[in-house]
Amino acid sequence: MKIREVRTAGLRGATPLGGWTEELTPNDVVHTLVAVHTDEAVVGLGSVFTSENLVRAALDVISPLLVGESALEPERVTEKLHQNTFWLGRGGAITHAISGIDTALWDILGQVTGQPVGRLLGGRYRDRVMPYASVLMDEPVRMCAELEALREAGFRAYKIGWGPFGRVDAQTDEQIVRAARETVGADALLAVDAGGSDAHWAGDYKWALRTAAMLDQYAVAWFEEALVADALEDFVKLRDSSPVHISGGETLTRRQSFTPYLQARAWDIVQPDVTKVGGLSEARRIAWVAQEYGVKLIPHGWNTVVGLAADLQLASAIPATDLVEYRTGSAYIDELGQADLKLDQDGMLEIPDVPGLGVSLDGDALDRYTDGASLFDV
């Protein structure tokens, strides 16, 4: 079975707010779906966390290396792409595009073999996983109303982040965290994301250490992106001194970028994003390295339903990965897919055990959010 072509479709019309300094509008395209077509009419789906224009430009470079290759060897094929494109921007748009292709190839392999992707990645350690609702911080009344609705919907884990946190004063930070903890309850998992990858992030090591001490008072599970992504030495110091777990890594790509942080023990939790790190193949390799250094992998997933499906399969195949991120209120998750993503009575999501990723797309929603782009044969 050979790869015939790759099609793309940027998602627009319902892009959720991201909390960034230069805020997104509903029509901004930051998620792009890819469909890998084979010469035997099997199609695999992937998702890329970047602009459709960048994905298409990357495909102009990648396609001569890709078309005609086996559609049943995802790790070998995507490693070929990495190895033969590094001088064109390793870690940038090309790596992001490879991420979606890799995931789509795993989806194809699962469909052809009749196996869920998680089993092909090495075996299923779990058949369900807890999602944590990812919520933008706001002033307490509005934020807590959203958290309360999520609690009533069945969520048992939450992450609040960005917004005013670390951008006003320490009193504001604590008011927000205190209100969130009181709303979700003492037994719920609550994480905090400072958003250190935002433009001109000003939170330094001393700020992060003081803030970590405050977060510990509210039993925060982890402190995410407390520093700018490249502050390796400060992350090491913070992780050594912080009373709460330190996490990071969502902006990095490829295993080579993660290795120095893992070797230096800069994080307690590593958070690669499958939709830009290099796909499921690369995320699995990072998980293996992390495991050797006692670091837990929890995937970053500000995502689409296809990306979430990939995270679920990854979580099934990694022993310690017992949480996935769920960007609540996103039409690209809640409306775009036909997968059953209902929480059970324990606040858990079932991991599909059907062939492939276990997700299909709703045709009407796809038409609505892709500006008439066609991922499939018409």
Side-chain angles (χ1 to χ4, degrees):
M1 182 179 291
K2 304 297 184 182
I3 297 169
R4 178 165 59 87
E5 66 172 319
V6 180
R7 298 186 186 182
T8 67
L11 296 176
R12 52 177 55 81
T15 300
L17 297 177
W20 299 328
T21 298
E22 295 294 327
E23 189 51 89
L24 298 171
T25 71
N27 284 323
D28 285 329
V29 177
V30 294
H31 294 295
T32 302
L33 301 180
V34 300
V36 175
H37 289 249
T38 71
D39 60 0
E40 297 185 26
V42 180
V43 179
L45 292 173
S47 184
V48 187
F49 188 6
T50 197
S51 158
E52 182 181 23
N53 291 336
L54 290 176
V55 176
R56 287 180 172 173
L59 284 174
D60 286 343
V61 175
I62 293 169
S63 290
L65 298 166
L66 185 67
V67 172
E69 264 287 6
S70 170
L72 302 179
E73 298 178 355
E75 196 150 14
R76 182 190 66 78
V77 171
T78 54
E79 187 63 17
K80 172 187 175 182
L81 300 181
H82 290 307
Q83 292 286 336
N84 287 282
T85 59
F86 73 89
W87 66 88
L88 298 171
R90 186 173 87 174
I94 288 178
T95 300
H96 294 170
I98 293 171
S99 303
I101 292 166
D102 179 83
T103 297
L105 291 177
W106 281 106
D107 188 25
I108 289 169
L109 182 60
Q111 293 177 53
V112 171
T113 60
Q115 297 294 331
V117 166
R119 183 166 292 130
L120 299 175
L121 290 171
R124 287 166 59 95
Y125 288 89
R126 57 184 56 82
D127 56 16
R128 61 178 191 157
V129 66
M130 179 167 287
Y132 62 89
S134 188
V135 176
L136 288 179
M137 287 188 186
D138 201 340
E139 61 86 17
V141 172
R142 284 194 293 269
M143 181 189 68
C144 291
E146 184 175 0
L147 289 172
E148 177 64 26
L150 291 167
R151 190 179 67 83
E152 293 179 357
F155 281 95
R156 299 291 180 266
Y158 312 83
K159 184 179 77 178
I160 57 173
W162 296 66
F165 193 82
R167 296 157 175 87
V168 181
D169 54 38
Q171 182 180 10
T172 299
D173 293 346
E174 185 165 4
Q175 287 175 344
I176 291 171
V177 175
R178 181 191 304 117
R181 173 53 76 192
E182 290 174 351
T183 301
V184 301
D187 295 332
L189 182 148
L190 177 65
V192 169
D193 182 353
S197 59
D198 194 13
H200 307 297
W201 173 245
D204 59 11
Y205 166 73
K206 290 183 178 179
W207 171 85
L209 187 59
R210 291 194 303 269
T211 303
M214 179 272 290
L215 298 179
D216 186 49
Q217 298 176 37
Y218 298 97
V220 165
W222 71 80
F223 189 12
E224 182 172 333
E225 278 205 304
L227 302 165
V228 294
D230 297 317
L232 172 55
E233 293 182 1
D234 282 349
F235 265 116
V236 173
K237 292 191 298 182
L238 181 62
R239 191 251 182 177
D240 284 344
S241 303
S242 170
V244 299
H245 286 158
I246 299 300
S247 71
E250 68 184 62
T251 64
L252 302 183
T253 57
R254 296 207 69 202
R255 60 191 179 274
Q256 291 88 345
S257 298
F258 284 82
T259 300
Y261 288 80
L262 296 172
Q263 290 177 333
R265 292 173 169 80
W267 305 309
D268 298 287
I269 298 167
V270 61
Q271 296 176 293
D273 190 315
V274 168
T275 65
K276 57 187 176 182
V277 76
L280 285 165
S281 295
E282 205 72 2
R284 178 175 64 162
R285 290 191 180 203
I286 293 164
W288 288 343
V289 177
Q291 182 175 320
E292 297 305 314
Y293 290 99
V295 178
K296 184 175 185 176
L297 186 145
I298 299 175
H300 175 262
W302 200 85
N303 225 321
T304 68
V305 69
V306 178
L308 177 57
D311 287 343
L312 291 174
Q313 294 297 327
L314 180 67
S316 75
I318 306 300
T321 302
D322 56 357
L323 291 158
V324 296
E325 185 168 11
Y326 193 119
R327 176 67 180 98
T328 56
S330 172
Y332 304 152
I333 294 176
D334 299 335
E335 298 178 30
L336 195 58
Q338 295 180 335
D340 186 3
L341 295 175
K342 294 180 181 178
L343 299 177
D344 65 18
Q345 62 183 6
D346 299 317
M348 308 280 277
L349 279 178
E350 182 179 356
I351 301 173
D353 62 358
V354 299
L357 290 177
V359 65
S360 57
L361 300 180
D362 180 275
D364 291 338
L366 191 62
D367 288 342
R368 187 159 60 250
Y369 296 127
T370 60
D371 196 27
S374 175
L375 284 177
F376 306 104
D377 290 320
V378 295

